[in-house]
Amino acid sequence: MATIRDVAKLAGVSTTTVSHVLNDTRFVSEQAKAAVEAAVKQLNYVPNAVARSLKGGSSRVLGMLVTDSNNPFYADLIQWVDKVAYRHGYNLILCNTQGCAERASDYIDMLNQRRVDGMLVMSADARQVPMSAFGAMPLVLMDSGPAEVGCDRILDDSERGGYLATKYLLEQGHTHIGILAGPLNKKNSQNRLEGYRRAYAETNLEYASTWVQSGDFSYQGGYDAMAALLQQRGRVSAVFAGNDLMAMGAARAASEQGLRIPQDLSLVGYDDIPGAQYFNPPLTTIQQPVQQLAEQAIELLLKRIADPKRAGECAMLAPTLIERHSVAPLN
């Protein structure tokens, strides 16, 4: 692998001149500049990003920790974050923790060693390790995160999302509505359940405690929660699932019980993953603005990189109901 000294030798200039040409930090004659560029091309020289960051203070690289990049919501978000980062002149290092605290800690160490300029962290990963593990790294917590850490956060208004989904089903004439909440130790799951409760509180109706089931944010989690719900007394006519993967798992469980969607059971999901519109029937769901989430995350992170000591900001993203064909009106 070629070094900066190899480039300087071939171009007939000093290593300092090569550095100034590559980093555009001082005027270099056109003749010397052309010689350096020709040598770089001939040797296929790639500058050492870590060394450049040590000297120039910036690696032009951002890190991103995600719990599960196989989840379609995260996969879509990652694509948007990468696009926005690239537009601002940054490369992205993606680290999939797979929900493992040790793996998350190792990745944080690696990103610090790589001297990335900043880091985006999904809330599930932020809870796995102490905030002190991030050190002085410019940081933005996406999706949730504790307020006391003093870093920037972007929140999904999950309470409003749960409210919109439940209110919509009530407006369609459904009075017996089940909810397949995500893991109840997660703030987003708690907030979506609170939105469900608020929508009922605005009516003269009550919901049964047995209509509330929880499970992992996965196909299997939705399947298991739906199977448990269908075993309860007092059959529900509609279900609000904590995310679209749960909704799809729930649909499978309902189908095995001979229930058709939406003829026998109406269904609303959450996230509006790319596959939701191709589900059969196309899934009514609560949309998280993924592109806006990526834009604001990068914007906040760049502001934090430019001014590490500024006060932390919190951005709240508004969810939207996307009406498709998985809900049948009863009124």
Side-chain angles (χ1 to χ4, degrees):
M1 182 178 293
T3 68
I4 193 171
R5 291 184 178 85
D6 297 326
V7 174
K9 183 178 180 180
L10 182 60
V13 298
S14 68
T15 56
T16 302
T17 299
V18 174
S19 177
H20 287 312
V21 171
L22 295 178
N23 297 303
D24 194 23
T25 50
R26 197 184 72 184
F27 173 76
V28 176
S29 70
E30 289 299 323
Q31 182 179 359
K33 184 177 180 181
V36 169
E37 290 174 346
V40 166
K41 185 176 181 180
Q42 182 176 334
L43 295 172
N44 195 28
Y45 172 68
V46 178
N48 185 314
V50 174
R52 291 178 64 182
S53 69
L54 288 170
K55 294 182 179 180
S58 175
S59 64
R60 307 301 293 180
V61 176
L62 304 176
M64 184 175 184
L65 263 62
V66 295
T67 306
D68 181 9
S69 60
N70 291 322
N71 184 316
F73 173 75
Y74 290 133
D76 196 27
L77 176 60
I78 291 164
Q79 287 191 0
W80 277 110
V81 168
D82 187 51
K83 287 179 182 178
V84 178
Y86 184 78
R87 193 172 71 229
H88 286 277
Y90 284 84
N91 292 315
L92 184 71
I93 297 178
L94 176 65
C95 301
N96 185 355
T97 70
Q98 299 181 4
C100 174
E102 182 179 358
R103 196 179 178 107
S105 181
D106 287 344
Y107 277 137
I108 292 169
D109 290 342
M110 180 272 289
L111 292 171
N112 273 305
Q113 290 170 14
R114 291 288 300 268
R115 299 184 64 86
V116 298
D117 290 343
M119 197 182 308
L120 302 170
V121 184
M122 301 305 294
S123 60
D125 297 302
R127 287 192 296 270
Q128 292 182 59
V129 295
M131 294 307 299
S132 59
F134 294 97
M137 174 76 67
L139 186 69
V140 171
L141 297 181
M142 304 174 69
D143 195 34
S144 184
E148 63 270 17
V149 299
C151 62
D152 300 303
R153 299 179 299 147
I154 301 181
L155 308 181
D156 162 46
D157 193 347
S158 293
E159 193 277 341
R160 177 162 178 77
Y163 170 80
L164 289 175
T166 311
K167 182 179 180 182
Y168 173 73
L169 289 169
L170 289 166
E171 290 172 345
Q172 300 305 306
H174 295 277
T175 57
H176 293 57
I177 303 169
I179 177 171
L180 309 182
L184 292 180
N185 63 337
K186 292 189 175 183
K187 191 64 175 177
N188 283 349
S189 302
Q190 297 168 11
N191 289 341
R192 288 167 198 177
L193 179 56
E194 284 304 309
Y196 168 89
R197 289 169 173 159
R198 177 161 71 96
Y200 262 104
E202 291 182 353
T203 71
N204 293 321
L205 304 170
E206 294 184 358
Y207 64 89
S209 61
T210 55
W211 296 351
V212 179
Q213 301 291 330
S214 65
D216 293 336
F217 281 135
S218 65
Y219 298 115
Q220 188 65 46
Y223 178 93
D224 292 341
M226 187 68 193
L229 178 61
L230 293 176
Q231 290 177 358
Q232 307 300 322
R233 293 181 179 180
R235 182 64 60 86
V236 297
S237 64
V239 168
F240 163 47
N243 75 354
D244 291 343
L245 299 187
M246 294 189 78
M248 294 175 185
R252 173 66 181 273
S255 176
E256 291 179 357
Q257 296 295 319
L259 300 176
R260 299 165 300 164
I261 295 174
Q263 295 92 333
D264 304 314
L265 182 73
S266 291
L267 185 62
V268 176
Y270 202 108
D271 283 341
D272 193 27
I273 63 176
Q277 60 183 311
Y278 300 107
F279 187 65
N280 186 23
L283 185 64
T284 295
T285 186
I286 301 298
Q287 181 187 74
Q288 290 200 62
V290 178
Q291 181 178 356
Q292 184 184 354
L293 175 57
E295 294 276 2
Q296 288 201 244
I298 295 295
E299 178 184 343
L300 283 175
L301 187 54
L302 296 184
K303 288 170 66 177
R304 173 64 56 188
I305 291 169
D307 184 6
K309 295 184 179 180
R310 69 180 183 82
E313 290 186 39
C314 177
M316 182 76 76
L317 300 183
T320 305
L321 177 75
I322 303 298
E323 187 175 0
R324 295 194 178 103
H325 305 300
S326 62
V327 174
L330 294 185
N331 50 5

